[in-house]
Amino acid sequence: MSGRFGAYGGQFVPETLMAALQELETAYREAMADRAFVDAYEALLREYVGRPTPLTHARRLTERWGGAQVYLKREDLAHTGAHKINNTLGQALLCQRMGKRRLIAETGAGQHGVAAATAAALLGLECEVFMGSVDVKRQAPNVYRMELLGTRVQAVESGSRTLKDATNAALREWVHSVRDTHYAIGSVVGPHPFPTIVRDLQSVIGREVLHQSEAAFGGLPQAAVACVGGGSNAAGLFAPLVPTGVSLYGVEAAGAGLDGDEHAATLTRGRPGVLHGAYSYLLQDGEGQVQEAYSISAGLDYPGVGPEHAYWHDSGRVRYLSATDEEALEALHLLARSEGIIPALESAHALARAGEIARALPKDAALVVVVSGRGDKDLESIREREASA
Amino acid sequence: MTRLQEALQGLRQEGRAALMAYLCAGDPTIEASVEGLVAAAQAGADILEIGWPFSDPVADGPVIQAASERALRHTRRVDVISAVAALRARVAQPIAVLSYCNPLISSGRDETLRELAQAGADALVIPDLPLEESAPWREAAAALGLSITPFIAPTTDPQRLPQIAQAADGFVYAVALLGVTGAAEDKAESILPVVAALRRHKDVPVLAGFGIGDAAAAARWRSRGLDGVIVGSALVKAMAQEGAEGVRNLVRQIRAGLDNLG
């Protein structure tokens, strides 16, 4: 494993963590070559997560948009309600394999925290999740879910008290407890080998899309689209499709608009720098201080992005677009009313740009949109926002 | 020989331990932080370490995080570089600049290193730049006469020690505990076998930092055979409570703790 995606990636971490990253890379390489490990992981995906998740033909949405046939990749139907579980089960198995008894994780909205807590409960690991104190208040139901699953939730009071600082706190805790603890990072971010491991574990999304496309319409889709915060569901979709001719689109959060400071459009508006162990695009001021991101969607509210996305961005293999809070909300309503599916606010960003992509394609083409999670977690904040509007 | 190498060699010849004193630039003001480091120099610090405040200091504990946050309210890039120049004008000791990678690369790495060297810096301490990422940095720094300080930690793989020893052109920074700056001292002394193994490859000065905050702790680390100690969080705290005089007093105590050992 090279650990670099073009110029991006690397291992910009304190010396104390270097041994753990090496240990993780070795353990991961050996695990992937070990049939028993891969079988155990795939069995969990089948029998516990409920994979493969369906590829749903969205007929009314297709009709409304009047372009390509729209297919939804239903990660919202995975156990815990999002794609995050694909990653945490794999990393929890790795944790066990390395003989470590404890898992730590960072979380923003709480989806990765819940998925980590779930995997830890299933495999009998101790688990602690770091969450900014602002998010602890905003996402109280997910805090309770984690606690029900036997996880300790640490409210982080430093910096912006959101995902960026939760990640700092998890890294600091890992420096302290690295000998018996595995840090299960939640996206394709962080130092090598995390971006590669998380991409590989999420690639089940793209591989299933390839098989299911063949079965549903006898070939490849013309285009595929996913939302991008750190970028794990998008990387999982893209990785198996990059070698094909499928047009790929990532959608970042434009928040209140790209002209101001209130957005999380890292690839669209940021520039390269080092955060959380990797060289990638960053939202930062002119002097290298990292800025706070903003999005209605807590899962996209992150000032960094996975280094492989930075590489795909620069190489032009993937086009990165953005959608505002308002556009995402509109798309959420549209999917709810036209297909009976309430997507997560994160996924609604992908849907917000999918209409234009579909309309630009002929009716016999196919467009795959990843619904990365279900919207239950967002209902309260949407209701509040719409009541006050 | 560089100013840093001369200072370390001189201390060794005198049989004295090195004391590196850290304060964060701009905490509470640029002038006050320079004043604090001048006081540290006058009270017996051998190397002055000035911190470049950063939004995401992952190797730092709560004390230095808070100092960094306070400083960032008003401290800009130009202020940090001018603080180095102001300090250079007032002290003869070597100056190390502690910064995370991102502020250094934001305006172009080579340009920023050049400005720091011109301002009078002698070394860089970059907590998120491990050896494996450091080659292009070392090349750029060497051309400017700047040293980039390599780290060892209790977890460092012995196989990496030859390259770490090779890279050291000033001193090696030994992270004295598993944790962040300002944490409780490591009673298990788990860094010592790593220091011993490093020295089998090259006889290079090794300074211990993290969790060393008073005369007794400094004396303990000296008696364990380290070439010196680095004190950060405790001085930041002294600065916040009593200003430059607080720094002066604490450095004087630690100096005495190191010297009385003989």
Side-chain angles (χ1 to χ4, degrees), chain A residues 19 48 68 73 195 222 280 305 324:
Chain A
Y48 186 72
K73 179 58 177 165
Q222 268 60 36
S280 184
V305 68
T324 63

Side-chain angles (χ1 to χ4, degrees), chain B residues 34-167:
Chain B
V34 170
E35 230 30 76
L37 285 168
V38 169
Q42 291 165 348
D46 306 293
I47 308 170
L48 305 166
E49 186 185 23
I50 185 160
W52 189 317
F54 181 47
S55 52
D56 295 84
V58 291
D60 285 304
V63 171
I64 294 178
Q65 284 173 48
S68 204
E69 277 184 40
R70 287 192 296 269
L72 278 178
R73 286 183 208 136
H74 54 81
T75 304
R76 308 298 306 262
R77 177 181 188 276
V78 60
D79 302 319
V80 177
I81 292 166
S82 72
V84 173
L87 191 58
R88 178 77 292 149
R90 295 182 59 191
V91 302
Q93 286 88 338
I95 299 172
V97 175
L98 180 136
S99 175
Y100 289 83
C101 288
N102 207 49
L104 295 174
I105 63 179
S106 179
S107 307
R109 181 192 61 211
D110 294 358
E111 168 61 17
T112 302
L113 295 193
R114 196 184 57 75
E115 286 179 48
L116 287 171
Q118 262 176 5
D122 301 289
L124 283 163
V125 177
I126 310 174
D128 57 350
L129 187 74
L131 182 78
E132 283 72 2
E133 299 290 353
S134 69
W137 294 73
R138 285 181 196 288
E139 200 176 312
L144 297 161
L146 274 174
S147 165
I148 293 196
T149 308
F151 288 85
I152 55 173
T155 48
T156 296
D157 181 348
Q159 293 187 356
R160 293 170 62 240
L161 291 173
Q163 290 92 307
I164 291 173
Q166 193 55 44

